[in-house]
Amino acid sequence: MLEHIPAWLGRTLGNVRAGADKLAIVQPELGGTFDALDLMSPAFAQEARLPPRFTADGEGVSPPLTWGAVPEGTALLALLVEDADAPAPQPLVHAVVWGMPADAGRLEEGAIVADGAGIAAQGDVGRNSYLGEGWLPPDPPTGHGEHRYVFQLFALGAGAGDPGASPGRTALVRAMTGHVLAAGLLIGTYSRGEPADATPTQTAVAAAST
């Protein structure tokens, strides 16, 4: 949808961004003192450009993810993907997955789709910002500059709440509050109307979490 915004408007909105300080992982209600998880993707490096395959300019499938060992006492995992640079008051939600087993270890490419067609046996796929279940492919406005797509993986203890079926971001954060044992963060970038630079860029996420 955002790919249809004209380039002149994208450039005009260049300074209108949700901001890394609005990401779920840095919200005070989640605690902020949890351990770190190693979250990676075989498809792109930390802070590197997302291959078009995973965006609205390609097949639009979700990228593969892998992660390291989770803390003892982890009962389940949750994944939230947000666009920190959306031209909106809050980050745009690209994926929500709730209730993955503690020993899952990975998500395959294309796994984040509507329940019943993907990882239903491993977790409940929630609603993105367009109110659909599954992966919302990145489609930043042309000329708006680089967008940071922030993959946030949370290891949760046994007391985590019930966010309901197909939860959105608000229900997810509410259910996780007070129960995050560890979290991992992976950033992929994408832009339109600019040279495709695969070199990782510095972000404000680290500063926002301090």
Side-chain angles (χ1 to χ4, degrees):
M1 183 177 295
L2 296 181
E3 71 269 25
H4 300 303
I5 292 178
W8 67 266
L9 182 55
R11 289 190 292 270
T12 300
L13 295 173
N15 291 326
V16 179
R17 294 172 183 266
D21 62 324
K22 303 289 184 60
L23 294 169
I25 199 169
V26 297
Q27 296 314 300
E29 60 263 37
L30 292 187
T33 59
F34 32 78
D35 294 337
L37 282 176
D38 291 325
L39 179 60
M40 300 153 286
S41 175
F44 62 95
Q46 177 71 275
E47 298 189 44
R49 185 176 173 87
L50 288 168
R53 173 174 176 76
F54 307 118
T55 76
D57 292 330
E59 290 86 344
V61 296
S62 60
L65 300 171
T66 64
W67 51 88
V70 299
E72 184 177 351
T74 298
L76 57 96
L77 300 166
L79 177 73
L80 176 63
V81 185
E82 298 179 284
D83 177 3
D85 297 296
Q90 297 292 330
L92 197 70
V93 176
H94 285 263
V96 171
V97 184
W98 170 264
M100 291 183 290
D103 60 354
R106 65 185 297 114
L107 278 178
E108 303 294 341
E109 179 178 307
I112 306 176
V113 294
D115 288 338
I119 62 170
Q122 290 186 285
D124 179 19
V125 176
R127 291 177 286 107
N128 56 49
S129 281
Y130 289 177
L131 303 181
E133 287 185 351
W135 172 247
L136 178 63
D139 64 340
T142 300
H144 194 251
E146 184 177 84
H147 281 220
R148 294 161 293 173
Y149 297 92
V150 185
F151 296 74
Q152 302 155 81
L153 181 70
F154 300 92
L156 306 174
D162 180 4
S166 302
R169 181 191 189 274
T170 299
L172 184 82
V173 171
R174 185 184 303 118
M176 295 193 300
T177 296
H179 303 288
V180 179
L181 303 180
L185 184 146
L186 174 66
I187 300 171
T189 67
Y190 200 67
S191 61
R192 284 198 178 100
E194 298 179 1
D197 183 1
T199 302
T201 58
Q202 297 299 315
T203 75
V205 172
S209 63
T210 58

